[in-house]
Amino acid sequence: MAEPAGQTRLCQSGIAAAVCLSSLAMIGFDAAATETPAINSAEAVKQASHSEDDSLLTRLIDGWEIDAALLWYREDARVQAIEGVVSGVKALSDSESINAKIVLDSLSGASASGAVAQQWAQTFTRPSGKGEYQVAAGETPLDDTFQDTRLSLSGGWQKTLDSATKVNAAVYGSKEFDYLSLGINGGIDWGFFKDNTTLSLSGALGYDLFDAVGGRPVPLSTMAIRKDFANDEAFWQAFDLSRQQGVGDKRIAEMMLGVTQILTKSTLVQFNYGLGYSSGYLNDPYKLVSVLDTDGNASHYLYESRPDSRLKQSAFVLGKTAFKRGVAEYSYRYTHDDWGLDSHTVEGRYRHYFSTKTGPYLQFHLRGYRQQGVDFFTPYLLQGEVVSPHISADYRIGDMDTWTIGLKTGWRLKDGDEIALRLEYYRQLPSGEVSSLEGLQGLDVYPELNAAMLQLNYSWR
């Protein structure tokens, strides 16, 4: 027996509210610093399910096409993240629209410091200097108190000026415990040959501030560890000498030039060239480099040092082909920067519809990535070795291969709303020269990483 239309709509509103309000509720949870009581998501969903058409939620989304998503991400024995996203688009006229997006990430777990594993337990000073943490013998050094929350807000505007020209502009801002990022961007698209060819040009400017916990480490300075000093006064004197005053800032400028060409009724191809320049404080203040003796035993740890400017270039090509029951998307990206990092990314998706192109679908995703690390990457230093002006043991900028495989399914509900569920598996394989140092034998200098991600989306039309 079919449900009454109103009851069906009410049920779907409950599903949408579950995603949308849970995302907003998560923002409430992590905004506890404001002393505002956290939203009880279950109660909110219950209330939404029984609300009238003129409820606050209905009035808020009137005229908007809303997308809401909840993302769960977990690395094995490392970082876990929960992300809530609510975004929307509202048409102001046939030629003009605005959009807005709010994202909240809650991160917790353990983050790799860059120091190498040892045959015995290691002791490290926490970034604030107030306390220590220990890493067991044979284990990759991780700071298990890593925790952060990022709130991001963005808004944009788009307008069609004439049959061939579109312009857009947007602002962006995000805040973490120790990081603030602000930015603006804009672009223009020109259509040619009855819109079979589109030329696009866009640019962005950003400004970031890094207020590191305990202050920014002086690059290449030695980590002060309490056991190496006779008393607290001597320790704090050494700790303060390893710190810079004030916050670090970073300036970013980027531009993108692109061409999209329709080849046939079912295939198009897109080419993009990107150029980006950043300058200022580009270090990660929480990353270390181990200094080893000739036996491979760590004697002390240095804070990393990166150049204060970076020029990136990228080339990207994408193709899309529509079939009777599906759509295929395939792309390749090459990036290069003046730090010496080169990367190649090959990615493909295929979406298969089981009935019409508005019906249920299953989407396959495969991504392969190969990175040649920066010139100044080193897994460790040796005592007596001349220290270069720039060093880092951050695995994220070293040699590595990564693989991502995923599945996504979705379907459209009776009134046009859409719901989707995505599951992905990620594997990271760092690589480098095998060490001949006796103290490192049997230890994993380039530890692998596995991660899983689950995302639930609801598009409210």
Side-chain angles (χ1 to χ4, degrees):
M1 181 177 178
E3 292 180 333
Q7 186 176 344
T8 302
R9 177 60 183 167
L10 197 61
C11 179
Q12 291 173 188
S13 296
I15 297 171
V19 179
C20 183
L21 291 178
S22 294
S23 299
L24 292 172
M26 201 182 83
I27 294 168
F29 303 155
D30 290 274
T34 64
E35 299 184 358
T36 300
I39 299 172
N40 183 317
S41 57
E43 184 63 24
V45 171
K46 180 180 177 182
Q47 292 174 4
S49 298
H50 297 283
S51 62
E52 301 294 336
D53 288 343
D54 60 350
S55 66
L56 175 61
L57 179 61
T58 301
R59 294 199 300 273
L60 284 174
I61 66 174
D62 184 36
W64 286 79
E65 292 186 357
I66 302 292
D67 290 328
L70 279 175
L71 169 70
W72 173 82
Y73 170 88
R74 183 176 179 82
E75 300 173 352
D76 47 2
R78 294 194 188 181
V79 174
Q80 174 174 285
I82 301 175
E83 180 181 273
V85 181
V86 178
S87 61
V89 178
K90 182 174 184 177
L92 302 179
S93 67
D94 291 340
S95 62
E96 188 175 18
S97 65
I98 57 174
N99 61 78
K101 186 176 185 180
I102 178 170
V103 180
L104 187 117
D105 301 305
S106 179
L107 302 168
S108 61
S111 175
S113 68
V116 295
Q118 293 283 272
Q119 302 287 1
W120 61 83
Q122 299 182 81
T123 300
F124 299 90
T125 302
R126 297 199 182 283
S128 65
K130 301 174 182 176
E132 300 174 337
Y133 63 95
Q134 288 197 328
V135 176
E139 297 292 328
T140 300
L142 307 172
D143 183 353
D144 59 7
T145 61
F146 172 67
Q147 188 168 6
D148 206 346
T149 299
R150 180 178 69 97
L151 175 63
S152 167
L153 301 172
S154 61
W157 164 83
Q158 179 172 303
K159 184 175 179 60
T160 301
L161 299 181
D162 53 47
S163 59
T165 310
K166 296 178 182 178
V167 295
N168 63 80
V171 295
Y172 164 87
S174 71
K175 180 70 176 77
E176 302 170 38
F177 178 74
D178 55 2
Y179 202 88
L180 172 67
S181 180
L182 302 171
I184 57 174
N185 61 75
I188 184 168
D189 296 336
W190 295 279
F192 302 94
F193 311 119
K194 298 181 179 180
D195 272 348
N196 285 324
T197 303
T198 302
L199 179 65
S200 61
L201 178 65
S202 61
L205 295 173
Y207 184 69
D208 298 350
L209 290 174
F210 208 145
D211 187 10
V213 175
R216 291 176 297 141
V218 175
L220 303 181
S221 64
T222 299
M223 169 181 271
I225 299 176
R226 177 64 183 84
K227 66 179 177 59
D228 296 331
F229 298 89
N231 52 52
D232 287 346
E233 182 180 358
F235 164 75
W236 281 109
Q237 185 176 19
F239 181 84
D240 291 341
L241 287 174
S242 72
R243 290 299 190 268
Q244 296 174 301
Q245 298 298 316
V247 300
D249 65 338
K250 179 169 69 174
R251 299 160 293 281
I252 305 162
E254 298 176 336
M255 62 83 65
M256 180 78 72
L257 178 65
V259 177
T260 302
Q261 177 66 50
I262 297 176
L263 300 178
T264 68
K265 290 182 178 179
S266 60
T267 302
L268 65 80
V269 63
Q270 181 181 66
F271 301 93
N272 286 338
Y273 169 74
L275 183 66
Y277 179 76
S278 55
S279 62
Y281 185 73
L282 305 184
N283 283 334
D284 186 325
Y286 309 122
K287 298 304 180 188
L288 302 168
V289 180
S290 298
V291 180
L292 310 180
D293 61 22
T294 54
D295 292 326
N297 304 316
S299 60
H300 59 284
Y301 312 95
L302 301 182
Y303 292 104
E304 71 162 27
S305 172
R306 306 186 188 191
D308 58 7
S309 66
R310 189 178 193 182
L311 180 67
K312 298 180 182 178
Q313 299 182 76
S314 67
F316 175 74
V317 57
L318 176 144
K320 283 188 177 181
T321 301
F323 303 96
K324 184 178 180 180
R325 287 289 184 87
V327 178
E329 179 180 300
Y330 33 91
S331 65
Y332 167 75
R333 182 190 302 275
Y334 171 72
T335 64
H336 170 78
D337 67 27
D338 61 357
W339 286 7
L341 189 146
D342 287 300
S343 70
H344 305 267
T345 307
V346 179
E347 189 165 19
R349 291 182 176 84
Y350 175 72
R351 176 176 295 190
H352 180 78
Y353 293 92
F354 292 102
S355 56
T356 66
K357 289 192 176 179
T358 59
Y361 67 83
L362 187 64
Q363 178 174 293
F364 301 90
H365 176 215
L366 182 63
R367 178 181 185 271
Y369 175 81
R370 170 159 290 182
Q371 174 177 292
Q372 175 184 302
V374 299
D375 296 336
F376 53 88
F377 175 85
T378 179
Y380 54 81
L381 295 172
L382 293 175
Q383 277 185 337
E385 180 181 357
V386 176
V387 180
S388 301
H390 304 119
I391 56 170
S392 176
D394 186 347
Y395 69 93
R396 296 171 299 181
I397 54 175
D399 293 350
M400 72 164 72
D401 293 335
T402 74
W403 291 97
T404 304
I405 185 169
L407 281 176
K408 180 179 180 181
T409 183
W411 56 94
R412 182 167 293 181
L413 305 177
K414 290 182 179 179
D415 64 348
D417 292 1
E418 294 180 9
I419 190 168
L421 184 66
R422 179 164 65 104
L423 176 64
E424 296 205 326
Y425 168 75
Y426 171 81
R427 183 169 176 77
Q428 186 180 86
L429 303 165
S431 60
E433 294 184 5
V434 177
S435 176
S436 60
L437 298 175
E438 183 179 352
L440 297 183
Q441 300 308 304
L443 299 178
D444 197 355
V445 178
Y446 307 99
E448 298 177 359
L449 176 69
N450 298 292
M453 181 177 65
L454 181 65
Q455 182 172 344
L456 175 64
N457 287 74
Y458 194 99
S459 299
W460 204 335
R461 299 292 184 259

